[in-house]
Amino acid sequence: MRRAGVALAVALLAGTPATLRAQGAGDHVPAQLSLEDAVRLALAHNPDYLGALTQRDAANASHLQSVGSFLPRVDASMGFSGADSRVVTGTDDFGNPIRREDPLNSRFSSSSQFVGLDFTLLDGGTRFHQLSAANAQIRAADATGAAQRATVTSLVSQRYYLALRDARLIALAEQQLASAREQLDATRRRFAVAAADRIDVLGAEGDVANAEAALEEAHGTANKSKLDLLQAIGIALDTAFSLTSEPLAVFDPSTLDADSLVQLALTWSPNVAASRATLSANSATLSAAHSQRWPTISARAGWSRGLNLPGYDAIFEFNPPDRTYSFGLNVSLPIFSQFQTQAAVGQAAAARDRAEQDLRRQQLQTERDVRAALIDLRNAYRREQTAERAVQLSRERVELARQKYQVGAIDFTQLQAVVDRAQQDERNAVEALFTFVVARVTLEEKLGRSVGPDR
């Protein structure tokens, strides 16, 4: 059996930033769609996964801002101004305001240029804590992206296998229709030699009609399954394709230990890793908020030049001759910040505490999900084994019943009951197989690791 589940294992094992971005996936579903193709397309088009990747972009922006806080701030300015005034008032010898007989007209202009540099020398470690928080946010974004990747991969895998199940049910319905038609032909031949009556012929014709209706219904169900798969991929829903991958192998899960699986999940589960990374980021943010209580020492240096002249001669003077150099040292002590520091610390502490509870909740949820998924897998295995055994027995019964019918030992109604039971057992076996496969995919998503012989 070709191991079609490799795509899910690769996605669950991937966790580095480089693996989070979709790589060169095409926009079209190939006519022959494998599980690997479906996962590859989903990682390029699924909106939930692509939306999760935007968190990394935001984290990168915060990281760049944190790195920039260690660099000096440089600002420059340039300005030109002019004025024209007309004064009609003045003062006499005693300082009293009087109206001038001849208005005084004046005109002047100025130009100025400035370059300044600010650099923080000491800030109580705020910049280092903020950089640490930014790095933690990047790790949290990567972990969130990996968790979403695993979720999307699992969803696509489950829907792929469900679509494959429905495709197999179509093939089974076609076989059952062909068998019903063969039985109708045989019954008509027996009727022609008076070995069967009209009731048997009508019953065989009814079986053909029911098989045709079942085949049509199977086609409709399979089309809906393909729509569900395309929706999970995140691509156009009017695409025609066929499925090429084989289902995962069935194995006995009784050897899997629940406690060991829980410990494995708490170590490797993408969801737990994302919660743990979020807690680390919130803890670093809290440390940065606490550091705002410490004094800040900063230095500043500047260089300016300018020119003031009567008239408009100084406007657009790009090389003014008056020059000034300045420098200074500033110490700032946050004595009272209108409770802004206390508010920042309180909010950061609340976010950290909430992240701790989210991590604990996620760990409990993961343990519950792993144990429940293992129960489902074991139940599915027993159901699949029982269904396979029932199919073998039903096939033997059908063969014996047809032999008896040919010699007249049983009537058509009895044969029909045996055939109907066998056909139902065939359908149950197909559904049981894929119930096991989906249960296995679900368990592997919760674990963050693969299980079974073909991974």
Side-chain angles (χ1 to χ4, degrees), residues 122 145 241 249 263 278 325 426:
L122 180 65
F241 60 91
Q263 293 303 316
T278 300
Y325 298 94
E426 294 278 0

Side-chain angles (χ1 to χ4, degrees), residues 9-27:
V10 172
L12 291 174
L13 292 171
T16 60
T19 64
L20 294 178
R21 292 290 183 184
Q23 298 293 330
D27 292 333

